[in-house]
């Protein structure tokens, strides 16, 4: 618990520092790889902690292999969490190998962080790793993986996500909405009436919001929702109409959502 | 027939002693001076039995049960209920010839087996009904306190529908038999008196000194006695010992519920509700001359809902039958066993395979059912497939009835003692079933770990992992790992490594996996084990993790020997590591040092000749042999020397290789002459580069001219 808190605080500081450094157009603190390597090899955990934080603040991708190697040599829990979070903040694909290993760590906490790292770093093989994490026995890891597949735009993962949704990993719906091709929308709509509407609405919202989805498909989605004729469906359509940008390009969609909502008797 | 006489004979409890020592014939039944073990008395009894017609009695079941309780007689031949009678019996019903006896305090009640009508009641006092037997019109019921000093017993002898005689005794009496108009009465643990059914005269007495005589029973026209063993009355019985007689003893080991071969006849008889009726052994003796055996060579062991056919000489299970209700009565007959259950269903099981060949139902609920099945011939062909014994035993373990756990453990022990890959497959299934009682599952897992057959099944089981989307669970990896090591099945190694890396594998199983990998000796496991040790050695201390990490150290030492030293020193020196793990790593390094020092000392001693040996060697050895500098063993140090000229190139292989590994592990097989046979390098991306350089070098031959494996680590 204490370790988690430390790690969370560390992550926040690292994120803030990295963001600030980037925003000001300058690099973080200067550190030489040999120096960092020496610190990482220290027997003093404070020195190791400092080295990890320095790596995070520096934003220097050259340090990623050093940190990855140090992780593989074994770290105490709180340092490991900080180290994984640092890799996440750095967002470098070179961290892929160690993150893939950590995605099978014995502690679910580390697996969830590793999944977040994979999403952030997007290394080659990320989609496969996240699809594998959908089968993790820990629900938080599964959820993170389901969300992540949408975030990394893993178009080839829709089958796995449908399977995940069938197995009640609700976060899969959002990713499905982000990833399905027009031809797969019907499969999403197939859930209407089969599961509670709020299970599917994240997917439908995403489909409707996507710029790369044809208008005709979006209108079909609205029509199918209207056919449910339930108060939930009406509320969804009302919310949809309000959320669609009020411009000429989206006018037809907005009007269709409004009309569909009005067809449902309150 | 009317009651003819009432005799009360009081005999001292020490009667057997007097009887054994007494002389002269005749006298009252159970008399103190009646001689025992006399051929001139027993032979006429045997002759009378031999000339008497074979006993014929219709097969019948009499059950007690229901609310309010009633006795129900069921005719097996016609499969019809003969009669129902209310009964508050406190004893199991006893079928005796044309009667059925029950104890309905304060009386013993005799009913006509044909009609159910009460034919007489007789005062029982406080004596329990021990047993009854009959043939034709003649029947005898025994009431007895059992025990020894102060025992009281009463024999009620009936002819037709009437009490013919009552004999009160001051010793314990066991379960009687009736044959050829004679009564066979076991008494006082060692005696069997044969009484004429008409006159009550004692015709013969047998005294067995090395066997409890508690039961008398009739099978195939012969009379048997005994309790823990079975003795047939023959002319040899007069020798007075079991070993001198025709006898049979079952040797089936300890069975769950410890059912007696025949219950203790001198202990209080079991109540109708007693578990003794549900946990029992049934058999039918047979044989001729001086041999006694069991019909079909089967001893039937019933445990509530399970029936095991056992080989009587070994206790090995031949088949298992699983019933859907408690079995409350049984009777063996040639070719099978009749069982009666608590719902009133009767079935005949084939002696050969346990399949059902006949079914009938009285529809009467029962807590205990007495069966007389001799001569019952009905029954058709067995239906359904015969499952393998392994499948039968496995199925028997899966009944959720908690009372069956002891029998299920017995089934698992039988499975464990069986050979065959299918047995292993069944044990995998059982070890994998979390719904089983923990004891049963644990026994199956233990048995699985000891298997030496079923490699394919083992590897197939290891292929499964716990996957949420697929809805699969982890297999019983720990037991499978033990089995893999036992079978020396190296094909399991990649799967075991995969489970080692799987967070769904519980730590107890991880420790077993590591132990198995160490035993299997496949060096490809060393790297993953090293990774595991490194990654987790600084985790939060946890007993199971500490054990698993300790197992990883043992495995590494076993697989790599001194090569593991570098990693172990690293672990031992990491102040952030788990203290006991560091200690274990340190101990392992120390042990390596000690072993190396001891080996070196031994080597030096071996290689240092005495002055005499030196002189002799010099005198005998040709000049060219004296120049032989071949090492006895090619060590990693020698390999290092050979590779010294290309050390820089080897280092470049690592620096320029994919992933830039800091080390590469080389396993080298050298012939006795020093030629390179195989080179195995990990990690793979640097293998080609390293192998080419190694193969280009010349290695020395070894003194013993034997093939050698050398493990060598290249470091940047």
């Amino acid at each position: 618990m204490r370790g988690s808190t430390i790690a969370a605080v560390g992550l926040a500081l690292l994120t803030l520092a990295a963001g600030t450094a980037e925003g000001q157009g300058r690099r973080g603190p200067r550190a030489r790889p040999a120096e960092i390597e020496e610190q990482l090899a220290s027997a003093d955990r404070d020195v190791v902690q400092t080295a990890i934080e320095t790596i995070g603040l520096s934003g220097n991708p050259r340090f990623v292999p050093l940190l990855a190697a140090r992780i593989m040599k074994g770290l105490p829990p709180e340092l490991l969490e900080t180290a994984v979070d640092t890799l996440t903040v750095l967002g470098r694909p070179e961290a892929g190998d160690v993150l893939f290993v950590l995605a099978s760590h014995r502690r679910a906490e580390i697996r969830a962080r590793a999944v977040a790292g994979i999403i952030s770093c997007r290394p080659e093989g990320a989609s496969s790793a996240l699809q594998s994490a959908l089968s993790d026995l820990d629900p938080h890891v599964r959820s993170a993986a389901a969300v992540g597949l949408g975030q990394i735009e893993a178009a080839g993962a829709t089958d796995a996500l449908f399977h995940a949704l069938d197995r009640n990993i609700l976060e899969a719906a959002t990713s499905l909405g982000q990833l399905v091709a027009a031809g797969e929308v019907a499969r999403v709509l197939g859930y209407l009436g089969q599961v509670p509407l709020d299970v599917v609405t994240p997917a439908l919202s995403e489909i409707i919001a996507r710029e790369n989805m044809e208008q005709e498909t979006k209108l079909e989605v609205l029509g199918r929702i209207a056919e449910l004729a339930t108060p939930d469906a009406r509320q969804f359509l009302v919310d949809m109409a309000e959320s669609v940008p009020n411009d000429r390009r989206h006018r037809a969609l907005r009007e269709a959502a409004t009309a569909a909502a009005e067809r449902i008797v309150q | 027939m009317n009651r003819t006489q009432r005799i009360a004979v009081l005999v001292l409890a020490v009667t057997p002693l007097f009887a054994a020592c007494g002389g002269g014939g005749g006298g009252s039944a159970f008399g103190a001076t009646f001689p025992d073990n006399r051929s001139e008395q027993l032979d006429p009894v045997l002759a009378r039995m031999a000339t008497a017609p074979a006993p014929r009695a219709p097969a019948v079941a009499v059950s007690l049960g229901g609310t309010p309780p009633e006795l129900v007689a069921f005719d097996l031949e016609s499969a019809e209920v003969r009669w129902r009678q209310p009964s508050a019996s406190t004893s199991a019903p006893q079928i005796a010839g044309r009667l059925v006896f029950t104890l309905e305090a304060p009386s013993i009640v005799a009913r006509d087996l044909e009609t159910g009508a009460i034919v007489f009641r007789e005062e029982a006092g406080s004596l329990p009904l021990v047993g009854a037997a009959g043939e034709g019109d003649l029947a005898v019921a025994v009431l007895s306190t059992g025990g020894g000093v102060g025992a009281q017993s009463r024999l009620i002898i009936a002819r037709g529908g009437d009490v013919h005689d009552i004999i009160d005794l001051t010793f314990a009496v066991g379960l009687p038999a009736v044959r050829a108009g004679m009564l066979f009465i076991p008494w006082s643990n060692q005696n069997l008196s044969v009484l004429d059914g008409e006159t009550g005269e004692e015709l013969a007495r047998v005294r067995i000194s090395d066997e409890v005589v508690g039961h008398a029973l009739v099978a195939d026209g012969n009379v048997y006695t005994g309790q823990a063993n079975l003795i047939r009355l023959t002319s040899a019985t007069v020798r007075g010992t079991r070993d001198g007689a025709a006898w049979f003893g079952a040797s089936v080991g300890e069975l769950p519920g410890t059912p007696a071969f025949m219950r203790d006849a001198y202990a209080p008889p079991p109540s109708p509700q007693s578990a003794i009726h549900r946990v029992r052994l049934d058999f039918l003796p047979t044989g001729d001359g001086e041999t006694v055996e069991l019909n079909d060579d089967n001893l039937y062991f019933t445990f509530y809902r399970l029936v095991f056919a056992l080989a009587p000489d070994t206790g090995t299970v031949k088949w298992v039958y699983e019933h859907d209700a408690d079995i409350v009565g049984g009777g063996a007959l040639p070719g099978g066993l009749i069982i009666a259950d608590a719902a009133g269903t009767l079935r005949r099981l084939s002696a050969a395979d346990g399949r059902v060949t006949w079914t009938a139902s009285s529809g009467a609920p029962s807590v205990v059912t007495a069966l007389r099945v001799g001569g019952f011939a009905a029954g058709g062909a067995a239906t359904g497939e015969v499952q393998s014994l392994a499948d039968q035993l496995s199925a028997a373990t899966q009944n959720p009835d908690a009372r069956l756990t002891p029998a299920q453990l017995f089934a698992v022990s039988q499975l464990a003692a069986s050979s065959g890959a299918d047995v292993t497959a069944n044990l995998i299934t059982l070890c994998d079933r979390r719904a089983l009682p923990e004891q049963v599952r644990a026994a199956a897992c233990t048995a699985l770990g000891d298997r030496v057959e079923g490699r394919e099944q083992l590897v197939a089981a290891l292929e499964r992992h716990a996957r949420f989307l697929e809805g699969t669970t982890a297999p019983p990896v720990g037991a499978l790992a033990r089995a893999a090591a036992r079978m020396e099945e190296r094909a399991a190694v990649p799967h075991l490594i995969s489970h080692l890396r799987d967070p769904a594998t519980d730590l107890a199983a991880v420790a077993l996996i590591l132990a198995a990998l160490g035993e299997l000796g496949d060096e490809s496991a060393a790297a993953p084990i090293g990774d595991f040790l490194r990654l987790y050695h600084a985790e939060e201390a946890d007993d199971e993790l500490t054990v698993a990490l300790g197992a990883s150290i043992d495995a590494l030492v076993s697989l790599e020997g001194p090569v593991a030293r570098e990693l172990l020193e690293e672990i031992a020196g990491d102040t952030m590591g788990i203290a006991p793990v560091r200690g274990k790593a340190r101990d392992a390094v120390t042990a390596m040092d000690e072993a190396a020092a001891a080996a070196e000392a031994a080597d030096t001693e071996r290689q240092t000749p005495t002055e005499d040996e030196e002189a002799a060697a010099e005198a005998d050895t040709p000049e060219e042999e004296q120049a032989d500098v071949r090492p006895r063993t090619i060590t990693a140090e020698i390999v290092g020397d050979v590779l010294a000229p290309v050390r820089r190139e080897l280092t470049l292989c690592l620096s320029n290789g994919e992933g830039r590994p800091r080390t590469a592990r080389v396993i080298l097989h050298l012939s006795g002459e020093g030629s390179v046979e195989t080179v195995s390098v990990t990690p793979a991306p640097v293998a080609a580069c390293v192998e080419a350089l190694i193969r280009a070098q010349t290695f020395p031959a070894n003194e013993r001219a034997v093939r050698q494996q050398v493990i060598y680590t290249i470091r940047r």
Side-chain angles (χ1 to χ4, degrees):
Chain A
M1 187 66 184
R2 183 176 160 271
S4 300
T5 309
I6 292 169
V9 171
L11 177 61
L13 290 172
L14 287 171
T15 309
L16 185 61
T20 307
E22 194 179 336
Q24 294 174 355
R26 61 177 172 79
R27 298 175 69 84
R30 292 176 63 189
R32 287 180 303 175
E35 213 174 301
I36 288 293
E37 191 169 11
E38 190 180 327
Q39 288 175 354
L40 285 173
S42 170
D44 184 333
R45 72 176 63 202
D46 291 340
V47 174
V48 178
Q49 170 97 22
T50 304
I52 295 170
E53 287 169 358
T54 304
I55 291 171
L57 292 169
S58 74
N60 187 343
R62 289 178 61 196
F63 293 146
V64 169
L66 297 179
L67 184 54
R70 183 63 187 90
I71 288 172
M72 291 305 292
K73 290 182 77 153
L75 285 168
E78 68 276 19
L79 289 183
L80 178 58
E81 287 162 17
T82 306
V84 181
D85 292 344
T86 300
L87 292 176
T88 304
V89 170
L90 292 172
R92 299 295 304 183
E94 297 92 320
D97 286 348
V98 71
L99 291 171
F100 294 154
V101 170
L102 295 176
S104 293
H105 195 273
R106 297 199 62 81
R107 278 194 291 131
E109 170 71 27
I110 295 298
R111 298 202 296 277
R113 285 170 191 261
V115 164
I118 291 167
I119 295 164
S120 166
C121 298
R122 301 193 183 199
E124 192 179 332
S127 173
S128 172
L130 294 181
Q131 287 183 60
S132 181
L134 287 175
S135 268
D136 197 286
L137 298 188
D138 184 86
H140 298 104
V141 178
R142 295 197 296 267
S143 298
V147 171
L149 282 166
Q151 290 173 340
I152 68 167
E153 299 167 8
T158 53
D159 269 344
L161 286 165
F162 275 118
H163 194 180
L165 190 58
D166 290 341
R167 297 278 284 146
N168 223 23
I169 303 175
L170 303 182
E171 292 79 0
T174 304
S175 292
L176 277 171
Q178 293 163 351
L179 297 175
V180 286
E184 291 175 308
V185 170
R187 193 170 166 188
V188 177
L189 292 173
Y191 285 87
L192 289 173
Q194 306 298 316
V195 297
L197 182 61
D198 60 359
V199 171
V200 200
T201 48
L204 303 177
S205 300
E206 292 292 334
I207 291 169
I208 291 167
R210 275 168 59 179
E211 294 298 333
N212 62 350
M213 187 61 73
E214 290 176 3
Q215 180 85 341
E216 191 182 334
T217 305
K218 295 180 183 181
L219 292 174
E220 186 192 343
V221 168
L222 293 175
R224 289 291 300 276
I225 295 168
E227 285 173 10
L228 295 175
T230 63
D232 286 349
R234 184 179 185 285
Q235 188 59 50
F236 175 78
L237 291 166
V238 168
D239 294 344
M240 182 55 63
E242 288 174 1
S243 65
V244 170
N246 189 7
D247 56 29
R248 186 189 300 173
R249 192 152 66 93
H250 295 94
R251 185 165 60 195
L253 194 61
R254 192 173 62 249
E255 287 175 359
T258 305
E262 285 172 352
R263 284 202 299 275
I264 300 173
V265 180
Q266 281 197 60
Chain B
M1 198 175 286
N2 296 319
R3 180 184 303 184
T4 56
Q5 62 181 134
R6 176 183 287 261
I7 304 170
V9 180
L10 299 179
V11 184
L12 293 173
V14 289
T15 293
L17 181 63
F18 293 123
C21 302
S28 301
F30 307 107
T33 57
F34 192 88
D36 53 39
N37 299 335
R38 296 289 178 91
S39 294
E40 65 270 25
Q41 292 173 338
L42 185 58
D43 285 346
V45 169
L46 297 171
R48 188 168 159 184
M49 282 163 50
T51 54
R56 287 182 182 278
V60 66
V62 179
S63 61
L64 173 68
T67 309
E70 59 178 3
L71 284 171
V72 178
F74 185 77
D75 190 311
L76 272 62
E77 300 288 354
S78 65
E80 289 176 350
V81 172
R82 280 190 187 175
W83 49 262
R84 294 169 182 268
Q85 288 290 322
S87 169
S89 176
T90 55
S91 72
Q94 304 286 334
I95 299 169
R98 292 176 184 166
L99 302 178
V100 57
F101 288 95
T102 53
L103 185 65
E104 299 177 29
S107 305
I108 181 168
V109 178
R111 288 180 172 82
D112 186 321
L113 193 53
E114 195 66 37
T115 64
I118 294 175
V119 293
F120 66 79
R121 289 176 186 271
E122 199 60 50
E123 190 184 339
S126 59
L127 297 177
L129 174 59
V130 171
E135 183 182 74
D137 281 345
L138 181 61
V140 61
V142 172
L143 300 155
S144 180
T145 57
V149 177
Q152 297 286 327
S153 302
R154 174 172 293 176
L155 307 186
I156 298 172
I157 302 167
R159 278 202 161 275
D162 292 320
V163 174
H164 175 70
D165 202 353
I166 294 178
I167 305 174
D168 286 329
L169 303 163
T170 56
F171 48 79
V173 176
L175 280 79
V178 175
R179 172 72 182 125
M182 297 176 284
L183 311 176
F184 296 80
I185 311 294
W187 55 281
S188 285
N189 292 296
Q190 290 188 317
N191 304 288
L192 180 76
S193 286
V194 185
L195 276 55
D196 185 277
E198 183 59 40
T199 65
E201 182 189 359
E202 187 164 5
L203 303 174
R205 183 180 297 179
V206 169
R207 182 168 181 269
I208 308 289
S209 59
D210 56 358
E211 174 70 34
V212 175
V213 177
H215 292 248
L217 59 143
V218 175
D220 201 21
N222 292 304
V223 172
Y224 295 81
T225 189
Q227 185 159 289
N229 300 288
L230 205 54
I231 297 167
R232 186 170 61 239
L233 290 191
T234 67
S235 54
T237 315
V238 294
R239 291 176 188 154
T241 62
R242 181 192 65 195
D243 288 337
W247 75 283
F248 170 85
S251 176
V252 295
E254 192 169 333
L255 295 172
T258 57
F261 182 60
M262 290 183 277
R263 72 174 175 83
D264 184 352
Y266 299 107
S271 73
Q273 291 77 19
S274 169
I276 283 178
H277 304 299
R278 293 165 170 79
V279 179
R280 53 187 286 147
L281 294 170
D282 287 296
F283 57 86
L284 180 66
T286 185
D288 52 28
E290 294 303 314
T291 66
V292 180
E293 54 197 27
L294 301 189
N295 225 301
D296 300 306
D297 200 31
N298 277 354
L299 177 62
Y300 300 101
F301 167 43
T302 298
F303 196 95
Y304 293 99
R305 295 174 175 217
L306 300 172
V307 180
F308 298 86
L310 308 177
D313 53 344
T314 61
T316 304
V317 173
K318 297 178 174 182
W319 51 257
V320 189
Y321 168 78
E322 187 177 1
H323 197 60
D324 55 5
D326 277 11
I327 296 164
V328 296
L333 70 172
L337 173 75
I338 303 283
I339 57 167
D341 74 18
T345 299
L346 293 106
R347 282 189 176 161
R348 179 175 181 155
L349 309 180
S350 160
D353 53 32
R355 284 186 296 171
V356 176
T357 59
W358 172 84
T359 300
S361 177
S362 68
S366 170
V367 292
V368 60
T369 299
L371 284 157
R372 181 172 67 194
V373 296
F376 179 60
T383 54
E385 293 279 307
V386 181
Q387 287 185 307
S388 72
L389 178 60
D391 287 345
Q392 292 176 29
L393 288 165
S394 181
T397 64
Q398 301 189 34
N399 192 309
D401 187 336
R403 295 173 308 165
L404 301 183
T405 298
Q408 290 169 333
L409 286 168
F410 174 70
V412 170
S413 73
Q414 289 287 322
L415 258 182
S418 308
S419 60
D422 60 328
V423 173
T424 304
N426 276 290
L427 287 171
I428 291 171
T429 304
L430 296 180
C431 181
D432 199 16
R433 281 185 73 96
R434 271 117 181 122
L436 285 182
E438 187 50 36
Q439 284 173 285
V440 177
R441 199 170 80 86
C445 292
T446 302
L448 171 58
D450 293 335
R451 299 301 292 174
V452 292
E453 296 169 292
R455 292 163 187 270
E456 282 179 25
Q457 290 80 355
L458 173 91
V459 173
L462 280 169
E463 284 171 2
R464 200 182 81 212
H465 281 257
R467 307 279 299 164
F468 177 80
L469 285 192
E470 288 83 349
T472 54
T473 56
V477 189
L480 291 168
R482 283 184 50 229
R486 186 77 189 259
M487 294 180 196
E488 299 179 9
E489 180 51 278
R490 287 199 173 196
V493 168
H495 301 292
L496 292 174
I497 292 170
S498 179
H499 283 288
L500 172 65
R501 290 170 170 153
D502 188 338
T505 307
D506 64 62
L507 279 167
V510 166
L512 293 171
I513 288 173
L514 288 161
L517 288 172
E519 285 179 45
L520 284 166
D522 188 327
E523 288 160 0
S524 67
I529 293 171
D531 291 344
F532 177 85
L533 177 58
R534 277 197 187 89
L535 189 59
Y536 295 108
H537 81 278
E539 276 287 324
E540 200 161 328
D542 163 276
D543 286 350
E544 284 195 319
L545 179 61
T546 302
V547 169
L549 291 167
S552 72
I553 291 171
D554 291 337
L556 276 175
V557 170
S558 171
L559 289 174
E560 293 194 312
V563 176
R565 184 191 183 99
E566 184 183 336
L567 171 56
L568 296 178
E569 284 178 340
E570 178 188 320
I571 299 298
D574 186 352
T575 55
M576 288 184 268
I578 299 170
V581 177
R582 293 179 59 205
K584 173 129 186 156
R586 203 160 34 238
D587 291 346
V589 171
T590 305
M592 279 179 194
D593 289 343
E594 289 170 356
E600 196 174 333
D603 208 31
T604 306
E605 194 177 325
R606 202 167 41 245
Q607 288 176 4
T608 307
T610 62
E611 282 180 14
D612 291 346
E613 284 171 344
E614 239 169 23
E618 270 182 30
D620 297 344
T621 311
E623 207 170 306
E624 61 273 18
E625 281 189 29
Q626 283 187 38
D628 185 1
V629 291
R630 290 177 302 172
R632 181 173 174 78
T633 304
I634 307 298
T635 61
E637 194 180 349
I638 293 171
V639 171
D641 291 340
V642 172
L643 296 178
V646 290
R647 186 175 307 286
R648 187 168 177 281
E649 287 85 344
L650 287 168
T651 306
L652 286 173
C653 285
L654 272 60
S655 307
N656 299 332
E658 185 187 324
R660 303 182 70 239
R662 299 189 68 82
T663 63
R665 190 159 170 274
V666 181
I667 302 172
L668 200 55
H669 285 106
L670 299 170
S671 72
E673 289 71 40
S675 61
V676 177
E677 291 185 348
T678 61
V679 180
S680 166
V681 183
T682 50
V686 300
C689 177
V690 169
E691 183 174 352
L693 288 165
I694 288 176
R695 283 191 180 277
Q697 308 311 308
T698 304
F699 291 83
N702 66 64
E703 189 188 331
R704 295 169 298 157
V706 294
R707 185 172 185 267
Q708 269 195 263
Q709 174 185 288
V710 190
I711 299 172
Y712 180 74
T713 304
I714 302 166
R715 294 184 175 81
R716 283 205 281 134

